[in-house]
Amino acid sequence: MSRVICIAGESGSGKTTAMRNLDPKTTLYIDCDKKGLSWKGWRTQYNEKNKNYIRTDFASVVEQALKKVDQDQNWKRFQVVVIDTLNGLMVADEMRRSKEKGYDKWVDLAACVWDLVCHAHDLRDDLTIVFTAHTQTEHDEAGYMFTRIKTSGKKLDKICLESKFNTVLLSKCVDGKYLFETQANNSTAKSPMGAFAEKEIENDIVKVIKALEEF
């Protein structure tokens, strides 16, 4: 069973930047937003020549890449796969099918995303899959706020994507410092009990993976 992590947060909260210290030799980066990465020098680290960078917003292409990483000897060098972002896949599929009417397209969209996340858990044991996702914060009449993964369509809301992850870290910027929230605080953030000593940790996926490996 592979290790699957979700990093969720608003745009600009440091989700992509958190991947800056990963080893490009053992990391496959799937750019579903197709906007490039967010640190200086990333183009020399992740590119087609190095065969470690895929730019796509088709869930089927991501699914094929995961299968290759799991089964193809030429792809076994990868220890981490980053899928950035789930919302890039959801929105692209929704826009491609914008002229379709009826409920079926929302069921298909939910199934596509759900199947992808489920499949990520069934890969080889030495693999870590990192999904990133945008969040939305809801407010009720009493002023209560709650932050969760942003989804396309009510079907995915009912499914609750967070339920498929043992670790959901909320990325945020506090006083100019980028952090991960490790436990729920009016949010769906969560992590295995005892994996992290603090409720807020440094925004660095390498340290997160190491802590979960030791756990």
Side-chain angles (χ1 to χ4, degrees), residues 113-135:
V113 173
W114 183 260
D115 289 347
L116 181 61
V117 175
C118 288
H119 181 221
H121 286 80
D122 296 329
L123 308 180
R124 50 188 168 87
D125 294 345
D126 63 340
L127 194 61
T128 297
I129 310 297
V130 182
F131 288 94
T132 68
H134 294 295
T135 56

Side-chain angles (χ1 to χ4, degrees), residues 140-197:
D140 64 16
E141 295 179 355
Y144 178 75
M145 297 188 303
F146 190 77
T147 301
R148 61 179 180 82
I149 293 176
K150 188 174 185 178
T151 57
S152 298
K154 294 182 179 179
K155 188 69 176 176
L156 281 170
D157 288 346
K158 293 178 180 178
I159 288 174
C160 184
L161 275 177
E162 288 90 342
S163 68
K164 292 303 297 178
F165 300 96
N166 285 328
T167 303
V168 178
L169 302 181
L170 184 66
S171 64
K172 58 185 183 179
C173 183
V174 180
D175 297 327
K177 188 175 182 180
Y178 291 92
L179 303 167
F180 285 148
E181 184 177 293
T182 65
Q183 299 176 30
N185 180 20
N186 295 340
S187 72
T188 53
K190 60 180 178 177
S191 56
M193 184 179 294
F196 302 103

Side-chain angles (χ1 to χ4, degrees), residues 45-62:
Q45 297 175 329
Y46 296 97
N47 52 59
E48 292 184 4
K49 183 180 179 180
N50 292 339
K51 298 181 179 179
N52 63 355
Y53 179 70
I54 298 174
R55 194 166 173 266
T56 183
D57 56 15
F58 283 88
S60 59
V61 176
V62 177

